[in-house]
Structure formats: C-alpha cells, structure tokens
Amino acid sequence: MTVEVLFGLLGVVATGSALLVVTTRQMVHAALWLVVTLGAVAGCYLLLSAEFVAWVQVLIYIGAVVVLLLFGLMLTRAPIGASVDLDASMAQRLAAAVVAGATAGVLVVSLVDAFRGEHIALETDRPRGHSSAVGAALFRDWVLPFEVLSVLLLAALVGAIVLSRRDVSEPAERGVT
Amino acid sequence: MSVFASPDVPGFGSDLPIPWWLLLVKAVAIFVFLVVMTLFAIWWERRVVARMQHRIGPNRVGPFGLLQSLADGVKLALKEDIIPKAADKVVFVLAPIISVTPAFMAFAVIPFGPEVSIFGHRTALQLTDLPVAVLYVLAVASVGIYGIVLAGWSSGSTYPLLGGLRSSAQMISYEVAMGLSFVGVFIYAGSMSTSQIVAAQTQYWYAILLAPSFVIYVVSMVGETNRAPFDLPEAEGELVGGFHTEYSSLKFALFFLAEYINMVTVSALATTLFLGGWHAPFGVTSFWAGANHGWWPIIWFVLKVLIALFVFIWLRGTLPRLRYDQFMRLGWKVLIPSSLGWLLLVATVRAVNAQYNLQSRDVLLYGGAGIVVILLLTFIPDLLATRPSEEPEGEPEWDAMAGGHPVPPMPGQSRPVLTGARASDDDDDLPTEDDT
C-alpha cells in the first residue's frame, strides 16, 4: 500500500514540477524545476526496485544533462529574475498544450492497453532492475537499437565539433563566396 | 519498507531486520565522524603546510592548536550573514545546502569494517549496502555540483559566476575519467557493491593489480574536489574567492564543510576501491591473526583515509596551480583516452582468462606498467611544447602602448630608433640624463 501511495505522490511531484518548467518566467528556475522532475522519476524507478536505472538517471540526467544545460545558459545569458521578453503568444501556448496533451494521451492509452492491469512481481530472486538483468537485456535482446543510438550520438558529437571549429568550416565558406 | 530489499545483500531489509535505533546510531556516528574529520583535516592541513613552509602553524587554542578549527567555526557562526541585493534569494540560500547534503549522503555506502555485534545484533559497520553502491556515490557527487554552480549564479556578480562555470566544466570532465577508472574495478571484482569490492581485495589490493586505474583515480579525485593544483574555480589571483565570493557567515562555513567532507569521501572511496578497504596492510595478519576481525579494521580504514588526506595536503603544499587549458587538456586528452585503452586491456584479459584460464595477474601487471610509462611519457611533449610558445622567440617588437597604456620595454626588447621629424632634430630618440 505504501508503495502505491508513494508512487502516486512522486508522480504528482514529477508532473507538477514539469508544469512549472514550462510556466515559470525565470530561465534558470525552469532548469531547476527540470531537476526536480527528473529526480522524482528517479524516485519512481527506485520504488520499482530498479536501483541501477534510478542511479543512472540521477548520474546522467541530473548530473550531466541539466548541468550542461545550465552551463550553456550561463555562458550566453542567465538573468536573475523574470525574462518577460521570452513569453510565448497565446496561439503558441494553445498549440503547445494541444501537442503535449495528445502525446500524453497516446502514451497513456498505449501503455494501459499493453499491460491491461497486469501485475509484475518485483521481489523475485533476481529483480528485473538488477544491473546484471539490465545488462543482459541491453546487450542480448536490444543490442541493435543500442548500437544505432550510439552511432546517432557519435554523429551528433562529430557534427558539433565540425560546427564549432572555424579552421574546418572556413575553406568551404571561401569556396562559396 | 520491504520495497528496497535486495536479495543479494545481507543485513539490509531482506534477511535480518535491523532495528531502527541501530540505523539511527550508525547514521549519527557517520555524521559525527565526518564533522570531526573535517575539523581535524583543517587543523592538520594548516600544520602540515606550515611545516612545509618552515612555519609553526596554529598552536594556541588547545593542545597543539587542535581546537583552532572549532574556534574558527564559532567565529564564523557569529559573523554577520550578508545576502547581496542583486542575488536570487531562494537559490542563494539553497545553494550551500545542496552543496553539503550530498557530501554527507555519499558516505552511507562506505564500509568501515566487517560484521560486529552491537548490543547483541550482528551487523556490518556500514549504514546501507546497495548493490550499485559506487554508482550511487557518483550520482550523489554529481548532485553536489549544483551547489557550486547555483552559488556562483545566484550571487548576481561576475567573479562568482565565472568560478561556478569553471567548476561545473571541471567537475563534469573529471567525473568521466573518475567513472572510467572505476570500471576496471567493477570488471575485476564483478560487483558494484562496496562491501563485495572490499571482500574481493583480501589478497591483492586493486591499487597494485589495477595500477593505471588507481593513478587515473588519484588525479581525477583531486580535480573533482577542486583542490590544489586543480583549484581553478576559486583561484584567488583571478576570481577573488571564486563561487563563494559573496557568501559569509554560516553559509560560507557550509561550503567549507562540503569541500572537506568531499575530500574525506573521495579518500574513503580510494581506500575502499583500491587500497583494500578495512583490510589490514600486508604482513600484519602474519603476526596478528585477529587484525581483520571485530572492531580493529576501523583503525586500518581511518589510517588509510588519513594517508590519502595527507597526499591532498602534500600536493597543495608542493604544486603550483595549473592553467585552465592545461588542466582541460590533461583531463580530455590524457586521462580519458588512456583509461579507455586500459579498460580495453582489462576486459580482454578477463575474457581470455574466463576462456582459457591463463595467469591474468602477470598480463595485467606488465600491461599496467606499460600504460603507466606511456602516461608519464605524455607529460614530456607537454613540457617541451609549452615552453617556447609562452616566450616569443627572438626580440619581439616593443609596443609602447601595449594594452592601452604606455609601458617600458621588457627584458630582451630594445627601444626602436625613431625616424621622422623629431628624430632628425635630436640625436637620441628620448631625452637621457646627459641632456638635463
């Protein structure tokens, strides 16, 4: 019982702070609410006894992704206080709400339909969230998507380096002009 | 809370219920241990650095000045608490708390000793034993970065912002190298649980078996804790005090506490992962069989942590601060590639060993020695390459208005002979003492 209540509370925290991410007028605060959201999701993983995934979530998303986001914000501009000039128009807000609602609807319907109230036992001899279970699943059953994703990341990495290096992109520009 | 029960870790939830008061006693003991270690480390650092600089150091308050840190703490608490007008108030107050809480939390998984009996309960000297304990330490440490970044940002001032930026870049870069140095230990021990890693080191310490991992870890742990020679986020000559420039009173004290607890934590992690944990040093067990039983292992553990702390202090007393680009080059171009290569070797040796049952120890030892040599060799081009580029070759042109101010010629530069209307009037370009 406690698990269900805690899970629900964490879900409320996650969605509430996710709403605050998009509604707050202070840029850095938005990033900080994102940290709360991701932390609450990590708490959900922990409740489902997926300790490995939970701590990886904290390490990667909270410890690296959002820190880099903050880093980028502070390198460009991160004013203290509200930045009113970034407010979206009413039409944009409506469109964003429709898209977000539709995505949530699709996800909820497909997940509910897929499991149909099925219960998965968490406390077996070898929990599904154990690091060896995750590793076996990742490198046996899902190895192709995993490798494709890593190639995608590598491409992004190479692209970022090419874009940021002047001495690589300059000859091309010279050729155009 | 049977949810957190994990079947392969005894004594935590699943097999024997630990009474709640015992958990509380352990938690309070860890808290007290960390605070006392901080007070002691500050005093020790001041005394050791003083001795290295032919001074005496604090010696007035208490025996040998041992109570100096306590007196400083009381003084800090009584100072005025200033919040700058331009600051983001909530985040400004939150930042020191975010900084210090993870520092305490990380110690929950460090094993102090084997199972002992406390008031009739058999329990390990460790608050909790997660199956992914080392990952937990890394995750918690990465949360600690927020304290520094947010402190720098929320101060509403330039120098703290720059200090915060530097520290976030630094800690992220060195966390990668640190994580990679752990992977060798995981592969060799077959577990991420601290207690099982310690148990796997009964015979050989991983500092010897996995020497390159250990070297990489030692370098990155100094970078991760923002200590000299990698203390760029608070470089006094460039950034005043760095991220905590605007902080005063107890908030400043919290940052200070967090820095020293982090030092103790990474030292304890080095002890646990590479220096055999609470196991007695080599040879002690040959004449004293009970050295690894009961409460004695705490002594070995604390001794090893103190030695690691001494290395921190020694480095601070010896090495000058690195420049930022040198520091980043060391992290990205030396530590990370070499640890990746080393991991490839370790994984190959383990796989080959599992297949053919070879003597993996020899292969690892020779390979490790080779990689240490390569690591040291990489410093040589650095030493040779940076020197000439810093000092321009030959006699550079003297720019009389360099940087917008009139400046005298530097050594090796000479005044140019003026040609033009004024030069034709006088023999010399500028008035000399003979003219007056």
Side-chain angles (χ1 to χ4, degrees):
Chain A
M1 192 56 211
T2 32
V3 183
E4 277 90 348
V5 173
L6 270 176
F7 196 83
L9 285 178
L10 280 172
V12 170
V13 171
T15 33
S17 47
L19 278 176
L20 280 168
V21 172
V22 287
T23 50
T24 181
R25 292 178 173 221
Q26 305 194 23
M27 273 199 288
V28 175
H29 286 196
L32 295 183
W33 284 118
L34 189 60
V35 172
V36 177
T37 310
L38 295 170
V41 173
C44 289
Y45 292 151
L46 209 56
L47 274 184
L48 298 173
S49 74
E51 281 181 48
F52 179 75
V53 183
W55 293 117
V56 166
Q57 162 96 357
V58 174
L59 183 64
I60 304 295
Y61 282 93
I62 298 181
V65 172
V66 183
V67 167
L68 277 180
L69 216 133
L70 276 177
F71 190 69
L73 265 182
M74 288 176 188
L75 271 184
T76 48
R77 57 171 194 164
I80 289 176
S83 19
V84 192
D85 53 321
L86 291 178
D87 274 358
S89 69
M90 209 58 208
Q92 273 176 323
R93 287 179 195 203
L94 271 177
V98 168
V99 170
T103 314
V106 167
L107 281 177
V108 167
V109 167
S110 55
L111 275 181
V112 168
D113 189 56
F115 288 98
R116 289 183 189 278
E118 178 189 347
H119 279 267
I120 297 168
L122 293 177
E123 293 168 57
T124 51
D125 281 350
R126 213 112 180 102
R128 286 162 192 244
H130 195 276
S131 52
S132 63
V134 172
L138 205 60
F139 290 104
R140 218 164 268 158
D141 308 335
W142 300 96
V143 69
L144 189 66
F146 180 80
E147 293 297 331
V148 169
L149 268 181
S150 43
V151 170
L152 180 73
L153 286 177
L154 183 69
L157 205 72
V158 173
I161 292 171
V162 168
L163 283 179
S164 61
R165 276 190 65 174
R166 287 268 168 95
D167 51 335
V168 175
S169 56
E170 255 176 17
E173 283 165 18
R174 244 180 256 144
V176 172
T177 48
Chain B
M1 288 283 282
S2 58
V3 206
F4 295 112
S6 50
D8 49 5
V9 177
F12 185 54
S14 59
D15 90 322
L16 258 188
I18 299 176
W20 62 270
W21 54 265
L22 196 53
L23 276 180
L24 196 70
V25 165
K26 283 184 184 176
V28 171
I30 286 177
F31 181 81
V32 171
F33 173 77
L34 284 176
V35 173
V36 170
M37 277 301 265
T38 303
L39 292 178
F40 176 76
I42 295 172
W43 170 82
W44 202 32
E45 172 165 27
R46 292 179 66 179
R47 288 287 286 202
V48 171
V49 170
R51 183 56 61 90
M52 287 177 177
Q53 297 168 348
H54 286 273
R55 295 185 285 116
I56 296 171
N59 65 344
R60 295 282 140 184
V61 193
F64 307 107
L66 265 170
L67 299 178
Q68 183 66 48
S69 327
L70 202 62
D72 287 346
V74 172
K75 191 193 83 173
L76 264 177
L78 296 175
K79 291 261 180 183
E80 187 188 354
D81 193 11
I82 301 168
I83 297 184
K85 231 179 189 170
D88 187 316
K89 304 270 179 323
V90 180
V91 181
F92 189 79
V93 176
L94 212 59
I97 300 169
I98 298 179
S99 181
V100 84
T101 316
F104 276 110
M105 279 170 63
F107 231 82
V109 293
I110 303 289
F112 282 71
E115 277 201 349
V116 294
S117 65
I118 303 174
F119 301 120
H121 287 278
R122 294 292 294 175
T123 177
L125 286 172
Q126 183 177 4
L127 182 57
T128 141
D129 194 358
L130 298 173
V132 287
V134 181
L135 200 67
Y136 161 83
V137 174
L138 275 177
V140 164
S142 70
V143 173
I145 301 178
Y146 278 96
I148 291 175
V149 181
L150 292 178
W153 171 75
S154 65
S155 300
S157 168
T158 311
Y159 287 131
L161 181 65
L162 289 174
L165 277 181
R166 273 192 185 186
S167 81
S168 61
Q170 169 172 345
M171 290 169 98
I172 290 176
S173 324
Y174 274 67
E175 219 173 51
V176 180
M178 191 185 238
L180 284 175
S181 72
F182 290 159
V183 177
V185 175
F186 297 157
I187 292 177
Y188 223 74
S191 171
M192 281 191 269
S193 140
T194 42
S195 60
Q196 284 174 27
I197 290 173
V198 170
Q201 292 180 84
T202 3
Q203 211 176 357
Y204 293 100
W205 293 358
Y206 286 144
I208 299 160
L209 278 183
L210 302 165
S213 288
F214 182 59
V215 171
I216 291 162
Y217 176 73
V218 168
V219 176
S220 55
M221 84 176 180
V222 180
E224 182 79 6
T225 45
N226 294 337
R227 290 277 307 181
F230 301 147
D231 53 347
L232 301 138
E234 40 194 297
E236 297 92 349
E238 303 159 24
L239 294 172
V240 193
F243 62 90
H244 56 58
T245 305
E246 302 289 347
Y247 279 87
S248 56
S249 187
L250 272 183
K251 294 202 190 72
F252 175 77
L254 282 186
F255 280 121
F256 217 74
L257 187 66
E259 181 184 333
Y260 277 84
I261 292 177
N262 279 332
M263 261 168 73
V264 178
T265 306
V266 291
S267 303
L269 212 54
T271 306
T272 305
L273 293 183
F274 293 105
L275 299 176
W278 43 260
H279 286 300
F282 305 111
V284 173
T285 40
S286 61
F287 58 86
W288 179 21
N292 278 334
H293 299 286
W295 292 84
W296 294 110
I298 293 187
I299 295 179
W300 313 126
F301 178 80
V302 174
L303 263 182
K304 288 173 189 174
V305 169
L306 285 180
I307 290 170
L309 282 177
F310 177 77
V311 172
F312 269 107
I313 299 167
W314 190 10
L315 285 177
R316 190 197 152 179
T318 314
L319 296 174
R321 182 180 301 132
L322 262 77
R323 222 171 48 208
Y324 195 64
D325 59 321
Q326 295 169 333
F327 175 72
M328 280 295 164
R329 189 168 51 197
L330 176 69
W332 288 102
K333 293 190 177 172
V334 179
L335 291 185
I336 293 177
S338 53
S339 53
L340 280 175
W342 165 244
L343 276 184
L344 202 64
L345 183 70
V346 172
T348 313
V349 167
R350 289 297 283 177
V352 166
N353 197 31
Q355 290 275 319
Y356 305 105
N357 205 8
L358 287 178
Q359 275 298 320
S360 66
R361 206 154 284 139
D362 302 334
V363 184
L364 276 179
L365 271 176
Y366 294 130
I371 285 187
V372 168
V373 169
I374 293 172
L375 257 178
L376 291 177
L377 282 178
T378 52
F379 286 107
I380 293 172
D382 265 10
L383 287 175
L384 296 177
T386 46
R387 286 284 157 72
S389 66
E390 271 166 28
E391 284 187 21
E393 285 162 27
E395 284 197 5
E397 197 76 357
W398 173 49
D399 182 8
M401 296 294 282
H405 308 285
V407 289
M410 296 293 282
Q413 293 175 330
S414 58
R415 288 198 191 114
V417 181
L418 287 186
T419 52
R422 199 169 164 274
S424 62
D425 291 339
D426 303 326
D427 285 332
D428 204 357
D429 50 346
L430 284 171
T432 56
E433 283 171 34
D434 300 333
D435 297 335
T436 51

